[in-house]
Amino acid sequence: AQSVAQPEDQVNVAEGNPLTVKCTYSVSGNPYLFWYVQYPNRGLQFLLKYITGDNLVKGSYGFEAEFNKSQTSFHLKKPSALVSDSALYFCAVRDGSNDYKLSFGAGTTVTVRA
Amino acid sequence: ETGVTQTPRHLVMGMTNKKSLKCEQHLGHNAMYWYKQSAKKPLELMFVYNFKEQTENNSVPSRFSPECPNSSHLFLHLHTLQPEDSALYLCASSVQASGANVLTFGAGSRLTVL
């Protein structure tokens, strides 16, 4: 069975500081990994994905994520956080051998203070 | 506006009512999904339709009944729900329900069961 863990319910950072949101996953086959963001009263929006290739993936709004196969992690990062980055962030995984199921974590609430 | 429209945005119903949630996409996608979002929990995949065929039913109680008349429309029929069914119900679509296809989400229908 595939699963995603986001160990932190909340992450608080000051504007201008680096932001990291952690994610670990479990799949039996090759993982397809995703990050989505949810702003208040909105649906989830796609940020970036990892399929294969370069372990460092760049996405929207200055976000990037690093795939680490040995640690089964896919942490989301931003070098300099903005107040507008405050939102709920979800990591998701699809097992390459199980086509249909995309599993999400519980989400991490990011608060960036001015 | 993401291209995935959900109605109604808010719904309050009693346990004996029958109601339906509607989802519509005009993105030309062939896969549609229902997810349940509860606070502090991973998003729960409920149903997946790929080219109008149901490919995933994630052990959802029969009081939730999906309907996918075509690739652009998805319904969730609700009957004799329980208070614990109160949640945000998210509809999503993707080109196909496989691989690295990105999901586009609607804004959700907030359901309250009294």
Side-chain angles (χ1 to χ4, degrees), chain A residues 4 9-10 32 34 36 38 41-51 88 90 94-96 98-107 109, chain B residues 1-2 9-10 33 35 37-38 40-43 45 48 50 55-56 58 88 90 94 96-108:
Chain A
V4 173
D9 284 344
Q10 280 218 317
Y32 296 127
F34 305 80
Y36 287 81
Q38 185 178 32
N41 301 312
R42 304 284 294 276
L44 279 69
Q45 298 177 33
F46 169 73
L47 276 179
L48 51 79
K49 66 180 177 182
Y50 170 82
I51 307 169
L88 182 56
F90 290 94
R94 174 179 269 139
D95 188 331
N98 180 343
D99 277 351
Y100 304 116
K101 189 168 184 176
L102 179 64
S103 298
F104 284 82
T109 299
Chain B
E1 183 60 55
T2 64
R9 291 293 308 277
H10 300 273
Y33 311 73
Y35 279 89
Q37 183 178 11
S38 303
K40 308 294 186 185
K41 291 185 179 180
L43 265 67
L45 177 63
V48 181
N50 201 34
T55 58
E56 186 87 22
N58 207 28
L88 182 67
L90 292 167
S94 64
Q96 292 187 53
S98 63
N101 283 286
V102 171
L103 272 62
T104 301
F105 284 83

Side-chain angles (χ1 to χ4, degrees), chain B residues 64-82:
Chain B
F64 294 92
S65 174
E67 179 189 1
C68 188
N70 55 60
S71 293
S72 298
H73 295 86
L74 183 65
F75 295 90
L76 188 62
H77 303 302
L78 314 170
H79 179 48
T80 59
L81 295 190
Q82 305 299 310

Side-chain angles (χ1 to χ4, degrees), chain B:
Chain B
E1 183 60 55
T2 64
V4 178
T5 303
Q6 291 188 242
T7 55
R9 291 293 308 277
H10 300 273
L11 178 63
V12 179
M13 59 186 290
M15 289 191 285
T16 58
N17 291 159
K18 287 185 182 181
K19 297 285 185 183
S20 296
L21 305 181
K22 179 182 176 181
C23 178
E24 187 173 357
Q25 59 92 6
H26 296 289
L27 300 170
H29 290 171
N30 297 300
M32 297 189 78
Y33 311 73
W34 280 115
Y35 279 89
K36 177 183 178 182
Q37 183 178 11
S38 303
K40 308 294 186 185
K41 291 185 179 180
L43 265 67
E44 297 176 45
L45 177 63
M46 301 176 72
F47 302 103
V48 181
Y49 280 83
N50 201 34
F51 294 91
K52 299 190 297 179
E53 298 296 319
Q54 188 179 123
T55 58
E56 186 87 22
N57 178 338
N58 207 28
S59 302
V60 180
S62 60
R63 57 186 183 268
F64 294 92
S65 174
E67 179 189 1
C68 188
N70 55 60
S71 293
S72 298
H73 295 86
L74 183 65
F75 295 90
L76 188 62
H77 303 302
L78 314 170
H79 179 48
T80 59
L81 295 190
Q82 305 299 310
E84 60 265 29
D85 296 323
S86 298
L88 182 67
Y89 288 84
L90 292 167
C91 174
S93 69
S94 64
V95 173
Q96 292 187 53
S98 63
N101 283 286
V102 171
L103 272 62
T104 301
F105 284 83
S109 294
R110 173 72 62 185
L111 173 66
T112 302
V113 181
L114 301 177

